[in-house]
Amino acid sequence: TRFLKDFPFSASSLDTYLNCPLKFYYKYVLGLTEKEGVFEELEREEIGLLVHQVLFDYFRDKIGKILTPKDLNLWELELEKIIDHRFEEQYGKEVVGEIYLLKRQVKKHLEDFITRYQIPKLKETPVKIINLEHQLEATKDTFRLTARMDRIESRGNRIVIIDYKTSASRKYLSINFNKLDLNKRESWNEAIGTLQLPFYTIVYSFSTGVSLEEIECFFLLLGRNLIDQDIELPLFEDEDRNGVAEKLSCLHHIIFTLLKEIIDPDQPFIPASNRQDQCRRCIYNNTCSNS
């Protein structure tokens, strides 16, 4: 119990618990890890890390500056040099075959990201990057909450927290408020793809003092075939914007209810309710007797 009360909870650990409490127990309490994961998962994770590194390198000397379309047009060659450097560092000087094709794809996607998303966005509103890959920690109701945020910027008078995703799918990232019932615990798994964005609002607000009303969060779906303004996936989409404060309060309630469950010694770490979906993709298949 003491271990869990002192545990630094992250959004991913909370998502793990929501999807399968037993998996949370294996991963975070017992510390069990798999030496080899599914190849496709490893490949996806590697690509995601590389893209994050490139975007960090590209924007890091722009922290604290008001970004302008003219500046980003001038920095187009800089992006290509950064991609070349990161690929050489990861795969060596001579990239051939699948790695060569991957490099071309990353270049095309990130060039489109700058020209078809970032520059048009700068024409709409002033943007200033506040921080990149920023680690924050907050304590709320005795719980230690920690988050590493890909990008934090100001847009006008609002703080915007951005998380890069190299996938194209909205399925595991969205929250279906039509299915979500605060009073029905079983609905939470079905309705919530991830608690990452509402979790970030808590950590940022309580660690900086910025009010929740001033914070926006969204994912950027960099894995989409077409990169344009629609790659933004906000916490609340247009049809969800009615009663934003109430919905956010509901999500925060869910987060702290889950945290209280985790540290409750009388609450067992049970297997996922939707085992067919969760167990199929779980790295603890060979360990867990419930799969």
Side-chain angles (χ1 to χ4, degrees), residues 165-230:
K165 295 296 182 188
T166 47
S167 65
S169 174
R170 292 173 171 243
K171 180 180 178 182
Y172 298 108
L173 299 174
S174 301
I175 297 174
N176 187 334
F177 287 95
N178 293 323
K179 287 185 176 181
L180 184 62
D181 186 336
L182 188 59
N183 299 312
K184 289 184 179 178
R185 175 66 172 78
E186 63 272 17
S187 77
W188 300 0
N189 299 65
E190 297 175 12
I192 299 171
T194 175
L195 288 164
Q196 185 175 357
L197 296 186
F199 187 89
Y200 279 6
T201 64
I202 293 173
V203 175
Y204 192 84
S205 179
F206 281 95
S207 62
T208 64
V210 174
S211 69
L212 292 169
E213 292 75 19
E214 297 176 74
I215 302 171
E216 288 183 16
C217 286
F218 57 80
F219 297 114
L220 281 184
L221 304 182
L222 300 176
R224 286 187 50 180
N225 289 330
L226 177 63
I227 301 292
D228 56 20
Q229 298 296 292
D230 292 332

Side-chain angles (χ1 to χ4, degrees), residues 57-94:
D57 290 345
Y58 180 75
F59 284 109
R60 65 179 169 181
D61 64 347
K62 303 166 186 61
I63 293 174
K65 299 177 181 177
I66 300 293
L67 299 181
T68 68
K70 180 181 178 181
D71 290 334
L72 294 194
N73 277 323
L74 292 173
W75 286 326
E76 189 174 341
L77 287 176
E78 180 186 351
L79 178 64
E80 186 172 357
K81 288 178 183 177
I82 290 168
I83 294 171
D84 288 342
H85 170 72
R86 283 296 182 180
F87 267 84
E88 182 177 327
E89 186 178 67
Q90 184 77 22
Y91 302 107
K93 286 189 175 183
E94 299 297 326

Side-chain angles (χ1 to χ4, degrees), residues 116-263:
R116 303 183 66 172
Y117 169 79
Q118 190 66 84
I119 289 177
K121 184 63 64 178
L122 298 181
K123 292 177 180 178
E124 292 178 9
T125 184
V127 172
K128 180 169 75 172
I129 295 179
I130 298 172
N131 245 313
L132 301 168
E133 300 292 339
H134 192 48
Q135 186 79 32
L136 285 174
E137 186 169 313
T139 301
K140 171 66 175 169
D141 294 348
T142 74
F143 294 105
R144 288 179 61 202
L145 310 177
T146 182
R148 187 175 184 85
M149 301 175 186
D150 291 342
R151 179 167 160 180
I152 305 165
E153 63 186 35
S154 63
R155 294 185 179 182
N157 60 353
R158 301 189 67 78
I159 297 295
V160 179
I161 301 171
I162 298 171
D163 191 80
Y164 302 128
K165 295 296 182 188
T166 47
S167 65
S169 174
R170 292 173 171 243
K171 180 180 178 182
Y172 298 108
L173 299 174
S174 301
I175 297 174
N176 187 334
F177 287 95
N178 293 323
K179 287 185 176 181
L180 184 62
D181 186 336
L182 188 59
N183 299 312
K184 289 184 179 178
R185 175 66 172 78
E186 63 272 17
S187 77
W188 300 0
N189 299 65
E190 297 175 12
I192 299 171
T194 175
L195 288 164
Q196 185 175 357
L197 296 186
F199 187 89
Y200 279 6
T201 64
I202 293 173
V203 175
Y204 192 84
S205 179
F206 281 95
S207 62
T208 64
V210 174
S211 69
L212 292 169
E213 292 75 19
E214 297 176 74
I215 302 171
E216 288 183 16
C217 286
F218 57 80
F219 297 114
L220 281 184
L221 304 182
L222 300 176
R224 286 187 50 180
N225 289 330
L226 177 63
I227 301 292
D228 56 20
Q229 298 296 292
D230 292 332
I231 64 171
E232 285 187 4
L233 178 58
L235 175 56
F236 301 107
E237 300 204 63
D238 290 341
E239 61 269 25
D240 297 325
R241 294 212 65 83
N242 290 331
V244 166
E246 184 180 343
K247 288 185 173 75
L248 191 57
S249 177
C250 170
L251 294 172
H252 287 180
H253 177 81
I254 288 172
I255 287 171
F256 284 100
T257 299
L258 293 173
L259 291 170
K260 289 170 186 173
E261 275 186 22
I262 293 172
I263 67 168

